[in-house]
Amino acid sequence: MSESAPPQVPDRVSVVVIAYNDAVHVGDAIRSALAQGDAVGEVVVVDDASGDDTPGVLAGFADEPRVRPLIRTENSGGCGTPRNDGVAAAVHPYVLFLDSDDLLVPGAVDGLLAVATAERADVVAGVCVRRELPEGRETVWAPSLYDVSHGATLPGTVLEGIEEHPEFVLDTLSVNKLYRRDFLDAHAIRFPDGAFHYEDFVFSARVQAAAPRLAVTDVPVYVWHVRRQAATLSISLRRASLANWEHRIAAHAAVVDVFRAADRPALALAAQTKFLDYDLPMYLRELPQRTGSYRTDWWKATRAHLAGFDAAAVAAAQAPSRWLHAALTALVDAPEGGELTRFVELAAPTPRLVPPYPRAEDGTPVLAAAPADVPLDGLAELAPAELPVAVDGEVAVGGTTRLTLTVHDLYGRVGAQRPTALKVEFTERVSAEELPVEAPLVPAAGGWTATVRVPTARLLRPGRLAAWSLHAELRYEDGSTGRVEVRAPRGFAGRRGVVAGRLGRPLLVQVVASARRGLVLRLAGGAVGARQVLSGRFKRLLAMR
């Protein structure tokens, strides 16, 4: 293993890998960088004073001259300092970051370099995929920016700064981008040092504030491994700790300061709007899982942070986010019970307002009841696709799976659009396979009902547990549609058991609500199901979800 810097070659890349107590994965990360080929001139591996066998794994690359270890003798407490060490040691014109438990996609560096050269770009941003382990389910990070199949329009464009596309502040990752090193040096762009969590947020803001020539591509670059059952969770998964939220707030405040100091007021506003539309709902919808003291302290910290938000940033947020902001600033004490449930449901990825539908004394629809009425400003102007409609689901499983749905009329807005039919989309959460089923709507008290039936055999997957999430697409008389997640009306209490399937074979079934109260159906059947009953493995699988 060589600790001396290799000679600089034009258009080569220094890959900076950071590691701390990750001997199990760091070797795979390094190999994914080396496999990029000659375009990678060096892999600078910064070991942040690991106490496990990470140094031993690095020693195993002694015969690879491109691997340069930097061994810190004192742990920094965060990810920023080791990344900064890696940038300082890098010798090639471009820098790419890689965490020890993730991977670079084959061909990533060649693809990014080709774009950087052709477009004379300071920064090239590519696609990052989040891979849930052990299931292997994959989703594109920030699909509104990068996933063309979901309507993204930026891939293939070159931006002179992002002020004309302030929505790009949503991408706070540092690892899905190739950076021209002299651009970082010229603007003194580095990560916050020490025990500063969500350091990516601040680094990305510093890059964006410097108005880089930014090429956005659909080049697959990075695989972000999400290990929810790991012994030590990554920072982004430690949301059960109030400190995690406080760190996120501090990082967001620093982002806004970066943009203001650079005289980028539009980006500062966009960052506040992003916080309302993205960060706030992510944590709010998990509040029922937390202790009462956590909720009290979370409410106080959040209200204090939101007090400094610009009115223009709030006005630019989506309607459900505006309503949640109004509730947080109006209610001094954290809500409990049914009132908290309404906030949680409104914070879901597809927001929904659940019954009852209260009104103020003057008849105005409100989110929270007196004494702190929170008007649902803008509700009347929402398009059908934007309405936060609540659709409840009840499941009965046997040889046939029957799903009974109730569509609630949202302050009369759904009825005014004249709904005609409903399509249910069963989506298998591991394979992403979709199974659509349509049904007519039948008027009922306070809304409509619909029933769909699916042969249970179509929902089983050989040799494993199948997990299905459910969405409903409402169709209206004028041809417009609105898509919402089917909710579990009884909240977080699940039902599990064994039922008789086709030909009397046992089926293992669990009907449960996700953290955001979406309905999830899990099934295993046949010989596999019987073995799981006998061994207790099925219970362990459920406990892991």
Side-chain angles (χ1 to χ4, degrees):
M1 185 182 303
S2 172
E3 296 190 13
S4 61
Q8 183 176 17
V9 177
D11 297 335
R12 281 197 176 179
V13 175
S14 296
V15 178
V16 174
V17 180
I18 60 169
Y20 174 65
N21 286 350
D22 200 13
V24 174
H25 303 116
V26 66
D28 289 338
I30 294 170
R31 282 184 284 271
S32 79
L34 294 173
Q36 300 293 315
D38 291 341
V40 171
E42 62 176 351
V43 182
V44 180
V45 188
V46 185
D47 177 12
D48 200 8
S50 294
D52 68 351
D53 192 40
T54 295
V57 174
L58 300 187
F61 290 89
D63 294 333
E64 173 51 70
R66 289 184 295 167
V67 175
R68 296 177 55 207
L70 297 179
I71 309 299
R72 292 181 52 84
T73 58
E74 183 177 347
N75 181 257
S76 68
C79 297
T81 296
R83 287 201 186 114
N84 290 340
D85 290 348
V87 174
V91 300
H92 292 293
Y94 295 94
V95 175
L96 187 67
F97 298 108
L98 174 61
D99 289 350
S100 61
D101 55 347
D102 297 331
L103 301 172
L104 293 179
V105 176
V109 170
D110 283 342
L112 293 172
L113 267 179
V115 175
T117 301
E119 302 295 349
R120 297 174 292 104
D122 301 313
V123 181
V124 183
V127 175
C128 170
V129 172
R130 283 171 55 99
R131 180 182 293 164
E132 298 271 353
L133 297 176
E135 299 94 335
R137 181 164 54 100
E138 295 186 348
T139 55
V140 174
W141 160 258
S144 62
L145 301 179
Y146 292 103
D147 192 344
V148 176
S149 67
H150 282 72
T153 59
L154 287 179
T157 64
V158 178
L159 311 179
E160 299 292 347
I162 69 165
E163 288 194 280
E164 291 187 4
H165 290 277
E167 69 273 16
F168 204 82
V169 300
L170 175 64
D171 186 4
T172 54
L173 289 187
S174 65
V175 292
N176 63 329
K177 301 175 183 72
L178 183 70
Y179 305 90
R180 191 162 54 81
R181 190 162 55 87
D182 60 4
F183 169 80
L184 298 180
D185 291 343
H187 296 279
I189 296 172
R190 293 294 187 269
F191 293 86
D193 277 311
F196 189 103
H197 296 166
Y198 296 105
E199 73 292 331
D200 272 19
F201 289 20
V202 180
F203 178 85
S204 297
R206 289 170 177 169
V207 170
Q208 293 161 359
R213 182 171 171 82
L214 169 65
V216 185
T217 79
D218 58 0
V219 172
V221 173
Y222 198 88
V223 179
W224 175 0
H225 285 144
V226 180
R227 296 179 170 89
R228 299 186 188 277
Q229 284 82 50
T232 302
L233 293 175
S234 65
I235 290 171
S236 62
L237 295 180
R238 300 175 195 169
R239 296 201 293 270
S241 166
L242 181 65
N244 181 278
W245 179 237
E246 292 171 337
H247 288 314
R248 198 176 189 105
I249 285 176
H252 177 258
V255 165
V256 173
D257 288 343
V258 166
F259 288 138
R260 287 175 174 166
D263 195 23
R264 308 280 183 191
L267 297 185
L269 292 177
Q272 290 184 335
T273 300
K274 174 258 182 185
F275 184 89
L276 293 174
D277 284 338
Y278 180 77
D279 303 75
L280 176 64
M282 186 193 329
Y283 284 73
L284 195 156
R285 58 179 171 254
E286 295 178 352
L287 283 185
Q289 304 171 50
R290 311 300 180 218
T291 65
S293 61
Y294 176 105
R295 291 196 292 270
T296 296
D297 292 340
W298 185 94
W299 200 263
K300 291 178 180 176
T302 306
R303 291 183 77 246
H305 183 53
L306 296 183
F309 275 39
D310 193 290
V314 178
Q318 299 171 7
S321 302
R322 298 198 305 269
W323 302 336
L324 290 172
H325 174 270
L328 276 157
T329 53
L331 299 172
V332 175
D333 297 322
E336 297 292 340
E339 191 173 51
L340 177 59
T341 297
R342 288 176 65 77
F343 293 173
V344 168
E345 301 266 14
L346 193 58
T350 51
R352 51 188 176 259
L353 271 174
V354 300
Y357 296 121
R359 296 178 182 269
E361 291 184 1
D362 63 359
T364 301
V366 294
L367 173 61
D373 290 344
V374 177
L376 300 177
D377 293 333
L379 175 64
E381 289 74 41
L382 292 181
E386 299 172 316
L387 289 174
V389 180
V391 178
D392 296 346
E394 294 281 355
V395 179
V397 180
T400 297
T401 294
R402 184 179 74 249
L403 175 64
T404 302
L405 300 126
T406 300
V407 180
H408 297 285
D409 197 0
L410 175 66
Y411 291 102
R413 283 299 320 277
V414 179
Q417 299 295 327
R418 299 183 182 277
T420 58
L422 180 146
K423 180 175 75 173
V424 178
E425 296 173 356
F426 291 73
T427 303
E428 214 278 310
R429 302 180 82 180
V430 174
S431 66
E433 176 187 353
E434 293 185 354
L435 177 62
V437 187
E438 296 195 31
L441 287 170
V442 178
W448 301 261
T449 62
T451 302
V452 298
R453 293 176 173 82
V454 178
T456 301
R458 296 184 66 185
L459 302 176
L460 298 175
R461 292 298 172 266
R464 67 174 175 86
L465 181 73
W468 297 86
S469 57
L470 307 173
H471 286 79
E473 181 183 82
L474 282 169
R475 297 181 176 177
Y476 299 101
E477 190 175 76
D478 64 358
S480 59
T481 61
R483 187 173 184 272
V484 298
E485 187 176 28
V486 177
R487 66 186 290 266
R490 290 178 176 80
F492 296 96
R495 301 195 306 277
R496 67 180 66 178
V498 181
V499 301
R502 188 180 179 186
L503 304 179
R505 293 173 179 170
L507 295 174
L508 294 164
V509 178
Q510 185 187 40
V511 181
V512 69
S514 67
R516 60 190 186 228
R517 289 181 176 257
L519 186 65
V520 178
L521 176 62
R522 298 169 181 153
L523 304 99
V528 170
R531 285 196 301 271
Q532 290 177 339
V533 169
L534 294 174
S535 68
R537 180 183 174 201
F538 182 67
K539 291 183 179 181
R540 292 197 298 273
L541 285 171
L542 294 176
M544 291 172 61
R545 307 292 287 192

